[in-house]
Amino acid sequence: EPRPAMASPAASPDSSSHEGPSAPGGSPTSDSENLSPDELELLAKLEEQNRLLEADSKSMRSVNGSRRNSGSSLVSSSSASSNLSHLEEDTWILWGRIVNEWDEWRKKKEKLLKELIRKGIPHHFRAIVWQLLCSAAELPLKAQYSELLRMSSPCERLIRRDIARTYPEHDFFKGQDSLGQEVLFNVMKAYSLVDREVGYCQGSAFIVGLLLMQMPEEEAFSVFVRLMQEYRLRELFKPSMAELGLCIYQFEFLLQEQLPELNVHFRSQSFLTSMYASSWFLTLFLTTFPLPVATRVFDIFMYEGLEIVFRVGMALLQFNQAELVQLDMEGMSQYFQKVIPHQFDSCPDKLILRACQVKYNPRKMKRLEKEYAALKSKEMEEQIEIKRLRSENRLLKQRIETLEKGNPRLTEEFVAHLETELERSRLRESETLGALKEMQDKVLDMEKRQPLLPDESSVVRLQEELQELALSDLGDTWQVRHGDTGDKWQGVPAAPGCPKCVPT
Amino acid sequence: MEPRWQYQFRVIMLGDSTVGKSSLLQCYTEGVFLDTVNQTVGVDFYVQFVELEPGLQVKLQFWDTAGQERFRSVTRSYYRNSAGGMLLFDLTNRASFESIRQWHREVTDTIQPFRMVFLLVGHKSDLSGQRRVGQREAEKLAASLGVQYVETSAKDASNVVQAFQMLTVAIYQALQTGQLVATETWDGVKSSVPLPVLPKAQALEKKQKKCSC
């Protein structure tokens, strides 16, 4: 469908809808930033260029549409017909001035700069403008780069494995010994050395690869370090990847708020946001769109940050809502993989314009961040509790197993022990019985010999003798014992002081 | 036009980075081997049909995931709705073999008390000169995990179809024996025909009948 050419920056439709702190109020850009007549004229020309580009893209299919042949021409204007060349020149003049007067533009013409970047940075200026936008030149680490290359990193193997899988179809990175692969490896390795916590994360090489298509490795390294430090990328690529979870959470909020019908459909199909949006955030659309389109988004990212990913993502869903609600989970997955990436090959401006119109409230996003943090810490507590219970469970199970296995063993031992005991008892019993028998025999033997023993009268006589010996108490006992036991001699206690009297 | 299917199984590809998950899938679903493919960032999706026996069509849906450990925070949410898991390691990369147990544990812990049917796959069998994992030790690992083992190569397409067939049959059998139970709320298995009456349930019925006599 026909779309209007991009509005002039002075009356940009989004400068009023944008609620960011950098763009408060609604006064037109040109009034607040006092443009010179030259600059106004240039802007008018740029407008014209946009209109022509739009018409151009409609009349002929762009030749640099797919990633396959995107190597040489990354900027959309390079595909435009020759009647645009003088406008291209004007654009270069304008950007040349911007670069030369950078501080002034950055401070005083912020909104205009933002508009110009949204229209796309000319290919030849990207390297310098990206570096300026993130103050890469002032990075102290830059001086260490060559030294870092001499060191070895624990992530080297992992990086090496992924190098050939980053822009594999791009000329610059084709071939195992290509310059592209070598410098990509260098930058990824150097980064993994200065940030041990993040080390190397899959996906990040696409960002570095794009930088390397524009600038030498040392500069690319500096820009990447800045992006990691200042643009939330470090948080995205950390081992916990918590920031990705947050981005998905925030994106789901926008979806629910702005496209409720689509949101309901996604949910009914269990179509998770992470399915289509993870790579949007992790590679800033570099693995979604062909490079000419993705680079336009990246231009904006360099100035506006991760916000543009939310905007482009929402714009994509807006454009495709009608088709998506007709599809099931599988249909949607394939639609996201095959159709959406090439929808804007010939008209990136259409996408950018819609993205800039998406409602995005930074304050609300901040609030969601706090909400998410609270949610996560609660989840974390639960996870810890679950983990604790799980390991306790595991230990208990192990104990039960040991007991089950151990019990029979214990019983056996116990039985064996009892058997030994029993054996011993039997032995003792037979010993005792033997002793008893012996005693009984002795008694019998003694009974047989009784007549030989002294009779009562002789005992009396002996008693008298004892008495005579003044051992009366012993004599008493003797008499008593004898009276008690009758014929049993063995129980007689030994007479103290008279061992000879004890019968043997 | 999509063939009529009786069953739809969802399968997740698991294993360390660069073991060849995407290559194996692409070889299976598209019949091609590309020397260089983009690294998987996040989750990709593939579909393939397979005829288990004459007239029994099964549709397989695949989640292809990023292998780097930190991506598990993303891929974890895909475990529960998968009926099958391809546990992949690279035969030329010892470390990838050694993390198989951890992958297995990570998944079973996450989805418990539910189950998943696994297949252990030793990939890149064409690089026999660089092999770092023996077939016997891989088979031993498979046995200890209670899964089957197969060696594949996407480059010469050896055993690729067989591997997916093995996993499909294993899922099908798990449904027959009641190890896996299809429910309305679970996306791991969908069926366009009434599910078989499970032998277990039958046995239970018989028992109950016996008791009432």
Side-chain angles (χ1 to χ4, degrees), chain A residues 355-370:
Chain A
C356 294
Q357 289 167 337
V358 167
K359 275 191 217 130
Y360 179 96
N361 183 343
R363 259 171 303 161
K364 205 171 258 173
M365 297 308 247
K366 204 79 204 160
R367 210 193 61 221
L368 287 171
E369 191 181 332
K370 279 183 195 145

Side-chain angles (χ1 to χ4, degrees), chain A residues 67 161 165-166 168 198 200-203 206 237 239 241 244 270 274-275 282 329-330 337 390 394, chain B residues 10 17-18 36-39 41 44-45 47 59 61 63 68 70-71 74 78 93 105 109 112 187:
Chain A
R67 194 182 282 167
R161 284 168 186 279
R165 309 197 297 155
T166 312
V198 171
Y200 164 73
C201 179
Q202 286 190 319
F206 287 98
F237 291 127
M241 287 186 121
L244 180 64
S270 339
S274 65
M275 257 217 80
L282 291 169
M329 205 281 307
E330 184 187 318
Q337 276 174 322
R390 218 171 253 171
R394 201 171 280 146
Chain B
R10 204 169 279 180
S17 168
T18 71
T36 45
V37 288
N38 264 359
Q39 34 176 310
V41 182
D44 280 342
F45 189 80
V47 173
K59 177 178 178 182
Q61 294 183 323
W63 298 120
Q68 198 178 8
R70 63 190 72 179
F71 280 85
V74 180
Y78 296 85
N93 174 359
R105 173 87 168 263
D109 271 5
Q112 70 169 355
D187 294 330

Side-chain angles (χ1 to χ4, degrees), chain A residues 446-503:
Chain A
M446 280 177 178
E447 274 171 356
K448 275 181 205 152
R449 285 189 344 215
Q450 203 176 11
L452 302 175
L453 285 171
D455 59 10
E456 251 174 67
S457 61
S458 54
V459 171
V460 170
R461 204 177 57 238
L462 274 170
Q463 254 178 335
E464 282 166 2
E465 274 174 37
L466 281 170
Q467 268 165 353
E468 278 170 16
L469 284 166
L471 289 165
S472 57
D473 39 0
L474 177 68
D476 282 343
T477 312
W478 188 265
Q479 193 177 26
V480 169
R481 289 306 300 185
H482 187 251
D484 278 346
T485 53
D487 51 3
K488 289 202 169 62
W489 286 89
Q490 54 203 73
V492 179
C498 183
K500 281 175 195 154
C501 301
V502 180

